[in-house]
Amino acid sequence: MLIYRLLTGEDDVGFCHKVTKALSEGWALHGNPTYAYDAHSRKMRCGQAVTRIASNQPYDPDTKLVDY
């Protein structure tokens, strides 16, 4: 089963660490990152989709994706 997550956050080092942590846990980048201005907070926001294959596990919507 292919698992999909969208990582989002403020454009800062914390977002880079979030993506790096996911990659170190076996997630792979999926598509291009996104970058947009949040007028409410007046800050730039980033997004990056990641995927990972979870072998021999049925999908359960009550399971957190990081627990697969």
Side-chain angles (χ1 to χ4, degrees):
M1 171 178 62
L2 186 64
I3 303 169
Y4 171 92
R5 290 174 59 199
L6 180 62
L7 305 175
T8 62
E10 188 177 318
D11 180 24
D12 61 11
V13 70
F15 178 76
C16 296
H17 283 286
K18 185 186 294 189
V19 174
T20 301
K21 182 177 185 292
L23 295 173
S24 74
E25 293 172 344
W27 294 85
L29 298 176
H30 180 79
N32 295 323
T34 62
Y35 197 60
Y37 181 70
D38 179 351
H40 180 72
S41 68
R42 297 183 179 188
K43 296 181 181 181
M44 294 302 292
R45 308 258 324 148
C46 299
Q48 175 63 59
V50 292
T51 59
R52 182 169 70 181
I53 294 177
S55 300
N56 302 320
Q57 294 188 24
Y59 175 70
D60 178 357
D62 295 326
T63 300
K64 291 182 180 180
L65 295 176
V66 296
D67 292 337
Y68 279 102

